[in-house]
Amino acid sequence: MSPIRPRIGVLALQGDVREHLRVLEDLGAEAVRVRRPTELEGVRGLVLPGGESSVIDRLTRTFGLREPLRAAIAAGMPVYGTCAGMILLADRLEGAVAGQLTLGGLDVTVRRNAFGRQNESFETELAVPELGTVPVAATFIRAPEVTAAGPAVSVLAELPGGRIVAVEQGPLLATAFHPEVSGENRFHRRLLERVLSS
Amino acid sequence: MNTDTTNTTTGTGAVKRGLAEMLKGGVIMDVVTAEQARIAEDAGAVAVMALERVPADIRAQGGVARMSDPDLIDAITAEVSIPVMAKARIGHFVEAQVLQQLGVDYVDESEVLSPADYVHHIDKHRFTVPFVCGATNLGEALRRITEGAAMIRSKGEAGTGDVSEATRHIRTITAEIRALSSRSEDELYVAAKELQAPYALVKEVAETGALPVVMFTAGGVATPADAAMMMQLGADGVFVGSGIFHSGDPVARAAAIVKATAFHDDPAVVAEASRGLGEAMVGINVSDVPAPHRLSERGW
């Protein structure tokens, strides 16, 4: 495996998998779909896409991916989660479907559907100083938010009023919004940097 | 679109199309009660379609089919945390206004209900809520997208449990897209005329080889294998209407169709999902439905 073309998995049970694969390929990664434990072999970083978090959780358990994914996170694999992916990375969840689990890893509390229903979904320009001075075009779709973050968590972005929508903790990165649908690739680039330096 | 003082904008194309992107690879289930909505969410539905009668019952009972009672939609919305869709009649922009007011996440301008306007579809650009519309061919899909549809569903023949029309419609749409991609640029003007769709949109589809919005399939899907077949034919996801709650074991069938949709290209998973589901909906062959009663012929 070439170190300059790392293999990055996108959890592909449900959601906007195609958009993430495209961004990763454009950045020069070898992007692969992950639906089975064997497909994690050789994967050096992982994206948890947007989608319906309760459905993705259910399918990870049905198809034996939950424990391999938890093991990969525990072993320090760089992971980036968007929207439903942020929910999956959270240690604590508000507004879960009965019995819904998360993979965990990020010491945060995340609230599902924090901004309301689809009528309240929105686009905005978001300052993310860690990514430079150009703001991020952020698309929030029935999005979650971080309602509490532990001491090891860095807040990368807040909305005006202080609602936390992007966080990082070691190799784990999460956004409540979808840079992958608006042509923004700096979060994926950050994931790749983490992979290449690990 | 509405922009507020904090520079946030709701109801944009990206936001409307984006929700459909997030539903990809999933199953949207018709439900007529809050209890069914609970079963659907627990089984792994990515969204539910709230309605008073599933298409099989609309077909059996006849009469004019309209938007559901707001009380029913509210009860279903209160029960689940996944997106809730609801149907408005073709052209009935006030039913759509009501559904937007109720806070549904997607409006289905649907041929399953009785059309309210035999000339005009709803001008969907005027709404914050996104719309999904049915189509039987590429031209119809592009006309709906021009009117503002943020998601397309190939129609099939709803309420039959016969998947043949769903197959025909998705094959037609994908074949027409492939044919368009093979045309030279100067042939696209005539293609636009033939498709009765705007040139810019026709050119975009020819260049990308895909619709600019997500396309699910619908109408007659009754088994895990039906759902997997639609996915292999190019659908981004499936709607299942009467097929779940008109079957012998809705709980098992709903979960099985979710699994088969996610692993549509893996016959081992589809085989396992197909086991022990009890009776499928009885169904009627589309060829036995007299042409005036075929729902897919509504819309133009």
Side-chain angles (χ1 to χ4, degrees):
Chain A
M1 188 189 338
S2 159
I4 53 166
R5 191 168 153 74
R7 182 181 296 175
I8 307 294
V10 178
L11 184 64
L13 294 165
Q14 191 272 318
D16 73 331
V17 176
R18 209 155 56 208
E19 286 69 19
H20 284 288
L21 291 170
R22 190 178 301 139
V23 176
L24 291 166
E25 288 284 346
D26 286 350
L27 289 173
E30 179 196 359
V32 298
R33 292 171 188 262
V34 173
R35 284 185 302 176
R36 302 172 179 84
T38 53
E39 289 163 348
L40 279 168
E41 279 169 27
V43 164
R44 297 178 59 198
L46 189 67
V47 169
L48 307 178
E52 192 46 57
S53 62
S54 58
V55 176
I56 298 173
D57 162 48
R58 170 173 302 277
L59 290 171
T60 59
R61 288 188 267 158
T62 305
F63 291 98
L65 263 171
R66 177 176 167 79
E67 291 312 319
L69 289 172
R70 282 169 59 83
I73 293 168
M77 180 184 284
V79 182
Y80 173 35
T82 64
C83 196
M86 174 189 254
I87 292 170
L88 286 165
L89 283 175
D91 281 344
R92 296 167 299 279
L93 183 56
E94 293 173 11
V97 171
Q100 181 177 356
L101 302 178
T102 67
L103 299 170
L106 266 182
D107 181 15
V108 295
T109 304
V110 166
R111 183 150 64 107
R112 283 176 80 220
N113 301 336
F115 296 89
R117 308 195 65 86
Q118 175 63 12
N119 279 332
E120 284 77 54
S121 293
F122 62 97
E123 284 184 77
T124 193
E125 298 266 297
L126 195 63
V128 186
E130 284 283 328
L131 299 182
T133 52
V134 178
V136 165
T139 309
F140 289 78
I141 297 170
R142 288 175 49 98
E145 70 170 328
V146 174
T147 55
V153 175
S154 315
V155 173
L156 298 182
E158 294 175 335
L159 288 168
R163 301 178 78 171
I164 300 170
V165 293
V167 292
E168 188 171 47
Q169 181 183 351
L172 305 179
L173 177 64
T175 59
F177 50 89
H178 297 280
E180 75 280 6
V181 304
S182 52
E184 168 64 59
N185 66 18
R186 285 175 286 173
F187 287 98
H188 295 79
R189 197 184 289 271
R190 196 170 176 89
L191 172 72
L192 288 178
E193 286 164 6
R194 283 286 140 79
V195 168
L196 293 173
S197 66
S198 65
Chain B
M1 283 190 286
N2 299 297
T3 303
D4 71 13
T5 51
T6 58
N7 194 32
T8 70
T9 314
T10 58
T12 62
V15 163
K16 289 174 170 178
R17 293 176 182 193
L19 178 54
E21 303 287 353
M22 302 311 147
L23 301 176
K24 282 187 301 200
V27 182
I28 300 169
M29 302 181 191
D30 278 3
V31 297
V32 300
T33 63
E35 185 194 4
Q36 289 185 355
R38 162 84 5 245
I39 290 171
E41 183 174 73
D42 289 346
V46 286
V48 291
M49 178 73 71
L51 67 179
E52 262 165 14
R53 294 182 289 170
V54 293
D57 293 330
I58 292 173
R59 188 179 288 288
Q61 293 162 11
V64 174
R66 310 178 179 88
M67 178 189 77
S68 298
D69 188 314
D71 283 345
L72 175 78
I73 293 167
D74 283 350
I76 288 169
T77 302
E79 182 64 33
V80 295
S81 61
I82 56 177
V84 175
M85 301 182 165
K87 292 181 192 290
R89 282 179 268 178
I90 289 173
H92 205 315
F93 53 88
V94 173
E95 285 189 348
Q97 290 166 3
V98 170
L99 293 174
Q100 175 168 287
Q101 182 65 36
L102 294 174
V104 306
D105 297 293
Y106 243 91
V107 173
D108 183 2
E109 186 182 17
S110 178
E111 70 283 357
V112 167
L113 305 183
S114 308
D117 187 330
Y118 280 93
V119 179
H120 305 285
H121 280 69
I122 297 170
D123 176 0
K124 294 164 274 285
H125 295 290
R126 294 175 180 235
F127 291 80
T128 305
V129 69
F131 283 73
V132 55
C133 288
T136 60
N137 57 55
L138 180 59
E140 195 177 356
L142 296 182
R143 288 191 291 280
R144 296 295 86 78
I145 293 166
T146 304
E147 295 156 2
M151 179 180 184
I152 291 294
R153 116 190 110 59
S154 66
K155 284 181 184 172
E157 189 56 38
T160 59
D162 178 349
V163 82
S164 63
E165 286 295 280
T167 305
R168 190 160 70 88
H169 296 154
I170 193 156
R171 276 196 184 276
T172 300
I173 293 169
T174 54
E176 287 180 313
I177 292 172
R178 286 192 299 274
L180 201 57
S181 291
S182 71
R183 293 222 192 180
S184 65
E185 211 174 315
D186 65 341
E187 291 170 339
L188 294 178
Y189 300 101
V190 168
K193 189 186 84 174
E194 290 166 355
L195 289 166
Q196 298 178 53
Y199 170 74
L201 194 50
V202 168
K203 187 160 181 283
E204 183 185 345
V205 172
E207 284 169 2
T208 61
L211 289 180
V213 303
V214 165
M215 179 172 65
F216 273 44
T217 195
V221 174
T223 69
D226 288 348
M229 179 170 160
M230 294 302 115
M231 296 298 287
Q232 288 195 31
L233 286 172
D236 289 318
V238 294
F239 284 86
V240 185
S242 323
I244 289 173
F245 290 101
H246 267 245
S247 75
D249 187 347
V251 173
R253 186 166 295 267
I257 291 176
V258 170
K259 287 182 211 169
T261 302
F263 283 81
H264 54 89
D265 54 350
D266 186 336
V269 173
V270 179
E272 200 53 41
S274 302
R275 289 179 195 278
L277 298 180
E279 289 284 313
M281 72 178 281
V282 175
I284 40 176
N285 291 302
V286 171
S287 55
D288 295 336
V289 178
H293 300 294
R294 291 188 192 170
L295 305 176
S296 63
E297 290 171 16
R298 296 171 171 175
W300 37 89

